[in-house]
Each structure stands twice: as structure tokens, then as C-alpha cells.
Amino acid sequence: MISTYLKPLAEVDAARADHLSFLAGLEEAGYSVTAGRIDPPTGGIILLDVDTEAEARELIAKDPYVERGLASYTATGWHPTRGALAGYQRTRSS
């Protein structure tokens, strides 16, 4: 999921702690592989381990950034075949 901030960075940053808590929950549940802010900070990327775009959208709808109208997300499917994530193994059951 690739996000684009819809509000000024100061408004986004005011909700950042809640967003990071949301990400921690995704990690604990085994849905988030990695995440980070785009540089310069105009949005971010969350690499989710899900089976469908619908599942990704259902999860991301609970992001405080989305709930507060601070960011929108675009879904982009991807299957790593090379590099550090080429041997990635799901940590949760399907």
C-alpha cells in the first residue's frame, strides 16, 4: 500500500503515534512485512502480506491516517522473486 498525505505534514505528524500503534498491531498479527515514510515525507509504503487487494483495503481502512482523512492509499500487488525478500515466508496462518 502506497500512501499519499492529504493534509499538511504537521497535521499528519499529530496523528503519527496512533498510526505507528496501528502499524505495530499489523506487525504483531503478521500482516505487515515492513513499512516506512517516503522521503521527502509526502506519504509512505506499507508492505502487507495478504492474499487479496480487498483484504489489504479492509486492513488499511482502520489506519488512523485514513479514518481522519489525512492520507489515501493505492494498492499495488507485488511478489518478491529476488533480493532480501525473495525467500519470504508468511509468519501467520492464512
Side-chain angles (χ1 to χ4, degrees), residues 27-50:
E27 291 167 7
E28 289 170 19
Y31 289 106
S32 176
V33 177
T34 190
R37 199 174 242 185
I38 293 170
D39 185 18
T42 57
I45 297 172
I46 305 172
L47 182 57
L48 296 174
D49 180 2
V50 294

Side-chain angles (χ1 to χ4, degrees), residues 70-90:
L70 299 170
S72 64
Y73 283 87
T74 301
T76 302
W78 180 63
H79 297 281
T81 56
R82 300 184 54 92
L85 292 176
Y88 175 79
Q89 296 293 313
R90 180 173 274 180

Side-chain angles (χ1 to χ4, degrees), residues 14-25:
R16 189 161 170 81
D18 293 338
H19 170 72
L20 293 176
S21 267
F22 166 76
L23 290 178

Side-chain angles (χ1 to χ4, degrees), residues 4 9 18 29 31 36 44 47 54 61 66-67 69 76-78 80 87 91 93-94:
T4 301
L9 189 56
D18 293 338
Y31 289 106
L47 182 57
V66 172
E67 293 178 332
T76 302
W78 180 63
T91 58
S93 56
S94 296

Side-chain angles (χ1 to χ4, degrees), residues 1 8 14 18 55 61 63 77 80-81:
M1 301 297 286
D18 293 338
E55 186 178 7
D63 182 344
T81 56

